[in-house]
Amino acid sequence: VSDHGEGLDPARGRTWHRLRLHDDLIRVPLIARLPGGAQAGRRVASQVSLVDVAPSVLDALGLPPLAGARGSSWWRALREGDGQPGGAPRYAFSEAAEYWDGFQATSVRSPHFKVIRRGAREEEIYDLVEDPQEERNLAGRPHPALRELRGQLEAFGGAPAAPQPDRDTQETLRALGYVDAR
């Protein structure tokens, strides 16, 4: 599992590592190996999120869920077929922030649509079924599903502002490629 991948965009001749919340960067495989090879080769094609990992592990171990956990177990969906974990509809939330330059974005993704918001006003909307490469921004076009997605994004709220990293942390981030050399 990973928090993000590498945004490979060969059609535009570019790669991305940060500052975007499009599927080529944030949609990564989640692979679990269970003791004794149980459920080997089974797949859950439905959308899951990192917040689903802890509830799934606890469920697989027969332990009660964490109080206040946001995620849902995908264990039952894996055992019983490809049902939607925790019931439908499911939303996956993402966020990206660079605290040294004030960049912050959040997104909400359903199996059909995604809304990406930067700041208070900038918004991108994609129909993931018709446009899986997220090339046609539908912002400004009415659609009943978007009201629900926007409401989910408002409720999610995104990450609170973080303190400015200290100099050593900034140097480490710069060495790892997270901070542009200035």
Side-chain angles (χ1 to χ4, degrees):
V1 68
S2 176
D3 64 336
H4 65 80
E6 291 297 325
L8 304 175
D9 190 353
R12 294 177 187 88
R14 62 186 179 192
T15 59
W16 297 89
H17 184 74
R18 57 194 173 100
L19 304 180
R20 292 178 66 245
L21 294 174
H22 296 78
D23 278 2
D24 63 324
L25 186 64
I26 64 170
R27 194 166 178 223
V28 297
L30 186 153
I31 301 170
R33 182 179 183 278
L34 301 173
Q39 302 293 330
R42 294 288 310 267
R43 293 177 57 133
V44 174
S46 55
Q47 179 169 276
V48 296
S49 178
L50 289 177
V51 297
D52 300 324
V53 173
S56 300
V57 169
L58 292 172
D59 188 20
L61 295 171
L63 297 172
L66 297 171
R70 287 178 112 172
S72 300
S73 174
W74 40 258
W75 178 246
R76 190 170 301 110
L78 182 62
R79 258 192 337 257
E80 298 170 4
D82 194 32
Q84 190 69 38
R90 277 300 306 252
Y91 304 101
F93 299 93
S94 299
E95 56 193 9
E98 286 199 356
Y99 302 109
W100 41 87
D101 64 6
F103 175 87
Q104 187 167 5
T106 55
S107 74
V108 60
R109 184 189 198 285
S110 72
H112 196 120
F113 290 100
K114 181 192 286 177
V115 175
I116 301 170
R117 188 170 293 152
R118 281 184 217 75
R121 294 200 168 110
E122 190 177 342
E123 190 172 73
E124 295 176 43
I125 300 168
Y126 297 99
D127 181 329
L128 301 171
V129 173
E130 297 293 323
D131 179 24
Q133 300 302 313
E134 297 171 291
E135 295 175 334
R136 294 181 302 276
N137 184 356
L138 303 176
R141 298 183 188 174
H143 193 286
L146 298 179
R147 184 174 307 139
E148 173 67 19
L149 278 176
R150 285 181 178 126
Q152 290 292 325
L153 194 55
E154 291 295 324
F156 175 70
Q164 177 76 16
D166 63 35
R167 185 176 298 269
D168 289 341
T169 302
Q170 287 182 24
E171 290 304 318
T172 300
L173 291 170
R174 186 173 285 112
L176 292 170
Y178 284 95
V179 179
D180 295 331
R182 297 180 200 239

